[in-house]
Amino acid sequence: VQLQASGGGAVQAGGSLRLSCAASGSIFSINNMAWYRQGPGKQRELVAAISEDGSTNYAESAKGRFTISRDNAKNTVHLQMTSLKPEDTAVYYCNAAIKALASSYYYQRWGQGTQVTVSS
């Protein structure tokens, strides 16, 4: 089971980016999915999370600008980011609690990270 993130890049302040993350492998079910980020010299922090039934949770810095969504049929999670600011510059990681076919438990999985750079 693995997560593959994509969609990062470099934009100017005020611009938009859409991140995507796809889970693949022998998946039985996926519980919560989320996006985290780690800026230069900072600790990794939660940006947004979404439950299996679609309930969402956002960091204060993301509210009103970012939207998290998921497609349960495709095992994907997306993060639509608008009105980007230089302080949004970070490596963004997707995260998901996944139960594999051969497992009785959910395990946290991380994607490889995708760089988002916002210039002023």
Side-chain angles (χ1 to χ4, degrees):
V1 175
Q2 63 178 2
L3 295 176
Q4 181 70 41
S6 62
V11 296
Q12 291 190 328
S16 300
L17 280 174
R18 178 178 170 84
L19 305 183
S20 295
C21 179
S24 61
S26 300
I27 297 170
F28 178 75
S29 68
I30 302 177
N31 197 340
N32 291 342
M33 305 184 84
W35 288 95
Y36 287 74
R37 69 185 181 187
Q38 187 165 14
K42 297 181 180 180
Q43 290 188 331
R44 191 173 297 189
E45 62 178 0
L46 176 68
V47 177
I50 185 167
S51 66
E52 190 173 5
D53 66 2
S55 299
T56 59
N57 180 43
Y58 294 93
E60 284 298 322
S61 59
K63 288 180 180 178
R65 299 189 300 127
F66 295 0
T67 302
I68 189 170
S69 61
R70 65 188 285 173
D71 184 333
N72 291 334
K74 297 181 179 179
N75 292 332
T76 56
V77 62
H78 307 281
L79 185 68
Q80 179 68 48
M81 304 186 292
T82 63
S83 302
L84 283 162
K85 305 174 182 179
E87 50 264 44
D88 293 318
T89 294
V91 178
Y92 284 70
Y93 298 90
C94 58
N95 168 272
I98 299 175
K99 181 188 288 186
L101 287 174
S103 176
S104 300
Y105 304 99
Y106 286 91
Y107 290 95
Q108 296 291 331
R109 303 283 185 174
W110 292 91
Q112 83 283 12
T114 184
Q115 177 70 45
V116 171
T117 302
V118 184
S119 58
S120 58

